[in-house]
Amino acid sequence: MRHSSSEIVDFRADTMTKPTEAMLRHMMSADVGDDCWGTDPTTKALEEYCADLLGKEAALFTSSGTLSNQLALRAHTVPGDEVVLDASTHFVVYEGAQSADLGHVVFNLLNAENGLVTARHLDDVFGGRARGPAYAMPKLLCLENTVNWHGGCVLPIEEMRRLRARSTALGMATHLDGARLPNASVATGVSMAEYAATVDTVSVCFSKALGAPFGSILAGPADVIKKAKRYRKWYGGDLHQNGYLAAAAHYALDHHMDRIAEDHENAALLAKLLAENPLLKPQVHDPMTNIVVVDVSATGLGPEEFCAEAAKVGVLLGDWKPGTVRAVLSMCADEQGVRIAADRLNLLADRCRKAAA
């Protein structure tokens, strides 16, 4: 992809990617059946491939990361159970209503720095506290890797191992929202299977860094995935000729993992170029993965206003936390696009400074 000086550069999210021509051809050549009947060979092949890739007994193809997460939550808990998780996770920020409505669970919220939960957080919550009949029972620990709300930082594998040991001792299963686990794997060199080995179930999105148009995988023990498949049916998540979409996901795993490092390099470049302007302050000057969060408060504009002005000059950003905007690097922008976007944003910030003078 090459960007002209007038082209829009889209940093809103890594879900904005579209299938490549090669991916579309692969989708259209898929051998399909009816997945509701269990007769779609391409979906079956993807699920078997992902179970092996993640080192789990079984896997289930779903329409979204949210559905994968909700199926895991439902399969691991019963109404009234307690789920332990950081307050900044996708489960809390974007799935709180679903978790209450569908799972009927209680959230026990942690407040970890940058969303990076440690075994110490579990000790602080549960150390020495007796659980009588009036209390919800802690049954599930939910982690997120990478941590979206905190700029795509990576939860270290060593800490995940410690968390698994502690959660197991407390009688809790562990689920990993690995929507961007491919980013964590590429950034650290730790395989997705090694990360998955530290949890009972794991979900991975195909429609983010991997550039597929649709879908997520949920992987774990066969009995848990069997429960999840039942709830997928209940929630209206079964599809018929699913194989066209499964083919795109499989193609993405085979062909797009290697290019994720480019997104990380482009994120670091964008942060570096924006940091040269005193009005634009990336919260992390060397992002771990593909997300750049920028403090724009010095421009005199709020995040929503800044995004609106940036759109006028051809750069699409996400209105993020107070005072900040978010840029997510993906197949939507190459190095040239990053440089063009940085120039536009720096000029926009300068105009804001002159207008305020």
Side-chain angles (χ1 to χ4, degrees), residues 148-274:
N148 174 37
W149 198 242
H150 294 285
C153 59
V154 178
L155 182 57
I157 186 70
E158 297 83 2
E159 194 59 54
M160 291 186 68
R161 291 177 179 134
R162 286 190 285 269
L163 278 162
R164 175 62 178 273
R166 191 72 186 101
S167 64
T168 300
L170 290 165
M172 290 189 290
T174 303
H175 171 68
L176 174 61
D177 176 357
R180 293 185 174 90
L181 190 61
N183 293 94
S185 178
V186 169
T188 61
V190 176
S191 72
M192 290 195 289
E194 289 177 87
Y195 281 115
T198 68
V199 297
D200 295 278
T201 53
V202 55
S203 62
V204 177
C205 277
F206 302 118
S207 56
K208 292 186 171 68
L210 291 169
F214 176 98
S216 171
I217 202 77
L218 175 66
D223 60 331
V224 175
I225 298 303
K226 184 177 180 179
K227 287 183 183 178
K229 189 169 185 177
R230 181 180 183 86
Y231 293 126
R232 187 184 70 172
K233 183 73 171 179
W234 288 12
Y235 293 171
D238 275 7
L239 298 175
H240 295 283
Q241 283 69 47
N242 216 3
Y244 295 115
L245 300 164
H250 207 148
Y251 182 92
L253 286 168
D254 286 343
H255 295 88
H256 292 171
M257 278 292 294
D258 290 343
R259 60 150 311 281
I260 290 175
E262 297 175 25
D263 297 338
H264 299 175
E265 292 165 4
N266 286 333
L269 175 62
L270 180 64
K272 174 179 178 292
L273 294 174
L274 295 182

Side-chain angles (χ1 to χ4, degrees), residues 122-162:
L122 295 185
D123 291 336
D124 290 345
V125 170
F126 296 107
R129 187 176 78 172
R131 283 294 181 105
Y135 290 89
M137 295 302 295
K139 289 295 180 69
L140 183 65
L141 170 66
C142 290
L143 304 173
E144 184 176 325
N145 207 4
T146 68
V147 185
N148 174 37
W149 198 242
H150 294 285
C153 59
V154 178
L155 182 57
I157 186 70
E158 297 83 2
E159 194 59 54
M160 291 186 68
R161 291 177 179 134
R162 286 190 285 269

